[in-house]
């Protein structure tokens, strides 16, 4: 992997077995998803469920899930180099207390994507449709 050759702190994990995703993600501080287009990345939900803040681009999909400074960081694709550099500096220099808060909010934000919550939302929508 090219990035790993440049910086030993970068790990491209490739494809993981479903049973090892959460335990593997727990070994890291952030998930980095720098996609130029990403409709909805289940990997973001998996990372959040592991209490892992995410660093994402401002592509439309990730910004529906990640809130800048709340459960991760967002960099601007239009100003990619400077914005990415700023975000990475924030991520590296965040205090332990701030990081813990962000990780807690990451975990909390994953709960709205839990299957039981999604079923509740679908039932509400169906009931609304039946009332009309």
């Amino acid at each position: 992997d090219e990035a790993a050759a440049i910086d030993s702190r970068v790990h491209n994990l490739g494809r993981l077995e479903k049973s090892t995703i959460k335990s593997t993600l727990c070994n890291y501080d952030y998930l980095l998803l720098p996609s130029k287009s990403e409709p909805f990345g289940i990997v973001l939900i998996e990372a959040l469920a592991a209490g892992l803040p995410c660093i994402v681009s401002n592509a439309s999909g990730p910004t529906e899930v990640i809130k800048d400074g709340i459960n991760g960081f967002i960099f601007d694709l239009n100003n990619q180099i400077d914005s990415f550099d700023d975000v990475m500096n924030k991520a590296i220099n965040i205090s332990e207390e701030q990081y813990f808060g962000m990780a807690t909010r990451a975990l909390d934000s994953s709960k709205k994507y839990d299957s039981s919550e999604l079923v509740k939302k679908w039932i509400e929508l169906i009931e609304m449709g039946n009332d009309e």
Side-chain angles (χ1 to χ4, degrees):
D1 180 77
E2 188 177 322
I6 295 169
D7 189 332
S8 64
R9 297 172 296 176
V10 174
H11 302 274
N12 182 349
L13 303 178
R15 185 177 177 90
L16 298 174
E17 294 297 320
K18 203 169 196 147
S19 60
T20 62
I21 291 172
K22 188 172 183 177
S23 63
T24 301
L25 289 173
C26 289
N27 294 321
Y28 296 92
D29 296 325
Y30 294 97
L31 174 85
L32 175 61
L33 188 68
S35 303
K36 289 185 178 181
S37 74
E38 181 76 33
F40 183 84
I42 192 73
V43 68
L44 292 177
I45 307 306
E46 291 169 329
L48 294 172
L52 195 65
C54 300
I55 299 170
V56 301
S57 70
N58 63 345
S60 62
T63 57
E64 297 297 319
V65 179
I66 304 304
K67 303 303 173 207
D68 194 41
I70 305 298
N71 59 354
F73 294 106
I74 300 172
F75 69 92
D76 185 0
L77 284 170
N78 295 320
N79 186 15
Q80 214 168 5
I81 295 172
D82 290 337
S83 182
F84 184 75
D85 188 48
D86 289 345
V87 163
M88 292 306 291
N89 279 322
K90 284 181 193 176
I92 290 168
N93 293 312
I94 194 171
S95 73
E96 192 173 319
E97 183 179 343
Q98 290 170 316
Y99 179 83
F100 180 74
M102 186 175 282
T104 301
R105 290 187 299 274
L107 181 58
D108 289 344
S109 66
S110 74
K111 292 176 183 170
K112 70 179 174 182
Y113 299 98
D114 182 77
S115 60
S116 62
E117 289 301 312
L118 293 175
V119 168
K120 287 180 196 174
K121 296 282 185 203
W122 277 107
I123 290 171
E124 288 173 16
L125 288 171
I126 291 168
E127 289 175 349
M128 284 174 47
N130 289 337
D131 291 341
E132 295 176 4

